[in-house]
Amino acid sequence: MKAPICSVCLKSNILCTACQKKLDEGLISEADIKISRKIHELSEKIKVLREAEIKKVIETQKTIIIIANKGTADKLVGKGGIAVRKIGEVLGKHV
Protein backbone atom coordinates (compact mmCIF):
# COMPACT_ATOMS: atom_id res chain seq x y z
CA MET A 1 0.00 0.00 0.00
CA LYS A 2 1.20 3.48 -0.83
CA ALA A 3 0.12 6.40 1.30
CA PRO A 4 0.96 10.07 1.89
CA ILE A 5 3.28 8.90 4.69
CA CYS A 6 6.14 6.41 4.45
CA SER A 7 5.75 2.70 5.21
CA VAL A 8 7.61 3.02 8.52
CA CYS A 9 5.20 5.72 9.73
CA LEU A 10 2.22 3.66 8.56
CA LYS A 11 3.22 0.93 10.99
CA SER A 12 4.11 3.09 14.02
CA ASN A 13 2.45 5.69 16.21
CA ILE A 14 5.14 8.29 15.58
CA LEU A 15 6.30 10.11 12.48
CA CYS A 16 9.79 10.07 11.03
CA THR A 17 11.46 13.43 10.48
CA ALA A 18 10.57 13.49 6.77
CA CYS A 19 6.86 12.81 7.38
CA GLN A 20 6.82 15.24 10.32
CA LYS A 21 8.25 17.90 8.02
CA LYS A 22 5.49 17.21 5.47
CA LEU A 23 2.91 17.64 8.24
CA ASP A 24 4.53 20.85 9.53
CA GLU A 25 4.62 22.31 6.01
CA GLY A 26 0.97 21.44 5.39
CA LEU A 27 1.73 18.95 2.61
CA ILE A 28 -0.16 16.25 4.54
CA SER A 29 -2.84 16.48 7.20
CA GLU A 30 -3.69 14.64 10.39
CA ALA A 31 -6.51 13.00 8.43
CA ASP A 32 -4.00 11.68 5.87
CA ILE A 33 -2.03 10.08 8.69
CA LYS A 34 -4.91 8.70 10.75
CA ILE A 35 -6.90 7.26 7.88
CA SER A 36 -3.89 5.87 6.03
CA ARG A 37 -2.89 4.00 9.19
CA LYS A 38 -6.41 2.59 9.62
CA ILE A 39 -6.54 1.43 6.01
CA HIS A 40 -3.09 -0.13 6.42
CA GLU A 41 -4.39 -2.07 9.45
CA LEU A 42 -7.40 -3.23 7.41
CA SER A 43 -5.10 -4.41 4.63
CA GLU A 44 -4.11 -7.31 6.89
CA LYS A 45 -7.67 -8.64 6.57
CA ILE A 46 -8.67 -7.24 3.17
CA LYS A 47 -5.82 -8.17 0.85
CA VAL A 48 -6.91 -5.96 -2.09
CA LEU A 49 -6.15 -2.86 0.02
CA ARG A 50 -2.45 -3.75 -0.15
CA GLU A 51 -2.50 -2.65 -3.79
CA ALA A 52 -4.17 0.71 -3.08
CA GLU A 53 -2.36 4.00 -3.56
CA ILE A 54 -3.76 6.84 -1.49
CA LYS A 55 -2.87 10.32 -2.66
CA LYS A 56 -4.88 12.50 -0.24
CA VAL A 57 -7.61 12.23 2.37
CA ILE A 58 -10.23 14.88 3.08
CA GLU A 59 -12.32 14.48 6.23
CA THR A 60 -15.53 16.34 7.08
CA GLN A 61 -17.92 15.82 9.98
CA LYS A 62 -19.85 13.02 8.26
CA THR A 63 -17.76 12.01 5.27
CA ILE A 64 -14.28 10.91 4.29
CA ILE A 65 -13.08 11.45 0.74
CA ILE A 66 -10.12 9.33 -0.30
CA ILE A 67 -8.29 10.44 -3.42
CA ALA A 68 -6.48 7.52 -5.02
CA ASN A 69 -3.74 7.47 -7.62
CA LYS A 70 -4.88 6.77 -11.15
CA GLY A 71 -5.94 3.17 -11.65
CA THR A 72 -6.13 2.19 -7.97
CA ALA A 73 -9.54 3.45 -6.84
CA ASP A 74 -11.00 0.00 -7.52
CA LYS A 75 -8.63 -1.43 -4.88
CA LEU A 76 -10.11 0.88 -2.24
CA VAL A 77 -13.64 -0.06 -3.26
CA GLY A 78 -13.02 -3.81 -3.44
CA LYS A 79 -15.18 -6.47 -5.04
CA GLY A 80 -18.81 -5.59 -4.49
CA GLY A 81 -17.78 -2.57 -2.40
CA ILE A 82 -16.62 -4.72 0.50
CA ALA A 83 -13.42 -2.76 1.18
CA VAL A 84 -15.00 0.69 1.13
CA ARG A 85 -17.86 -0.48 3.37
CA LYS A 86 -15.39 -1.89 5.90
CA ILE A 87 -13.33 1.31 5.82
CA GLY A 88 -16.49 3.30 6.53
CA GLU A 89 -17.44 0.96 9.39
CA VAL A 90 -14.03 1.22 11.04
CA LEU A 91 -13.89 5.01 10.67
CA GLY A 92 -17.55 5.57 11.55
CA LYS A 93 -18.19 7.79 8.54
CA HIS A 94 -19.37 7.58 4.93
CA VAL A 95 -16.52 7.04 2.48
Side-chain angles (χ1 to χ4, degrees):
M1 181 183 137
K2 291 186 181 179
I5 57 175
C6 71
S7 61
V8 173
C9 292
L10 273 176
K11 299 172 188 170
S12 69
N13 289 328
I14 58 171
L15 294 176
C16 69
T17 54
C19 290
Q20 184 63 53
K21 185 177 178 184
K22 285 184 190 178
L23 179 63
D24 294 342
E25 293 175 353
L27 299 174
I28 60 173
S29 66
E30 290 289 339
D32 289 318
I33 297 165
K34 177 182 79 173
I35 293 166
S36 293
R37 285 177 173 161
K38 289 288 185 185
I39 293 172
H40 179 262
E41 287 175 26
L42 280 174
S43 73
E44 296 299 318
K45 296 177 183 171
I46 304 171
K47 308 283 188 231
V48 72
L49 289 175
R50 293 179 186 173
E51 300 171 36
E53 294 181 26
I54 300 169
K55 193 170 191 172
K56 183 77 180 152
V57 176
I58 301 166
E59 184 175 22
T60 67
Q61 287 182 344
K62 297 180 181 179
T63 307
I64 295 171
I65 300 167
I66 301 171
I67 301 169
N69 285 346
K70 187 175 182 178
T72 65
D74 61 327
K75 307 301 183 211
L76 287 167
V77 174
K79 187 174 182 179
I82 192 164
V84 75
R85 276 196 305 274
K86 190 65 176 174
I87 293 168
E89 269 179 39
V90 168
L91 298 172
K93 294 186 178 189
H94 296 285
V95 179

